[in-house]
Amino acid sequence: MTFEIRDANRSDTDDIADLWHAGWHDAHAAIVPAELVRLRTHASFVERSARHIERTRLAVSSGRVSGLCMIRGDELFQLYIAGHARGTGVAQVLIAEAEERIRGNGNSRAWLACAVGNERAARFYQRCGWTLRGPEVEDLELLEGSFPLEVWRFEKVL
């Protein structure tokens, strides 16, 4: 599979929301509190996708969004790969590109939050050189307010 990495734009908002919503529910619905699952509606992902569009990069293949990556300061904020693109190497490209953007913003260390129990993601981050620092409570972004959730904190020296 060949893909292009590019900045997201406003016209990508619905595609980003579709991918993010599907990927989040696939990875998290069975391992986080039911209340958080209830709050993670498709509409919430549309709103949040628009809110973070300037910090989002996409992997696009044959006109389809195959992956997305968002950074926020020194944080790898979101990384999701469409089902059709898993196993193609797009995740490695996006995470390396995010690390470079974080480094380019003057940071020597990056971090990310991974839901406790998301073993597939944790293994991927470790294969990419990220170190599990342990659990901590992160206030997850909601449309209104936040939701405290215990996560695994991963860090990487850049």
Side-chain angles (χ1 to χ4, degrees):
M1 173 179 279
T2 60
F3 46 85
E4 166 197 10
I5 305 297
R6 66 169 175 80
D7 290 333
N9 59 62
R10 293 276 170 215
S11 67
D12 296 313
T13 301
D14 289 339
D15 290 336
I16 293 167
D18 291 347
L19 172 57
W20 193 4
H21 177 259
W24 188 92
H25 280 272
D26 178 48
H28 299 98
I31 61 172
V32 301
E35 176 64 11
L36 181 57
V37 174
R38 187 186 68 72
L39 293 167
R40 293 296 198 219
T41 63
H42 188 271
S44 75
F45 283 94
V46 171
E47 172 76 23
R48 293 172 63 225
S49 295
R51 184 183 299 169
H52 296 290
I53 201 79
E54 292 83 16
R55 57 184 81 166
T56 304
R57 299 272 290 163
L58 301 176
V60 179
S61 178
S62 301
R64 294 173 70 188
V65 175
S66 299
L68 68 88
C69 185
M70 297 175 191
I71 64 169
R72 183 170 63 178
D74 61 349
E75 179 187 9
L76 173 54
F77 179 54
Q78 303 295 332
L79 177 67
Y80 286 93
I81 308 303
H84 71 269
R86 291 182 187 156
T88 65
V90 70
Q92 289 87 346
V93 170
L94 281 172
I95 199 168
E97 197 271 341
E99 292 167 5
E100 185 56 38
R101 286 190 294 148
I102 292 169
R103 183 182 308 108
N105 289 338
N107 299 291
S108 61
R109 181 179 299 270
W111 71 279
L112 63 85
C114 177
V116 172
N118 190 347
E119 299 290 343
R120 181 179 70 199
R123 284 190 305 272
F124 171 74
Y125 297 135
Q126 289 171 324
R127 281 194 314 269
C128 291
W130 291 71
T131 302
L132 176 59
R133 293 293 178 210
E136 67 178 38
V137 175
E138 177 77 13
D139 287 325
L140 303 183
E141 171 188 73
L142 299 174
L143 292 181
E144 300 285 334
S146 62
F147 189 100
L149 184 71
E150 186 175 59
V151 298
W152 288 324
R153 182 184 175 105
F154 282 84
E155 295 181 357
K156 184 171 185 179
V157 175
L158 303 174

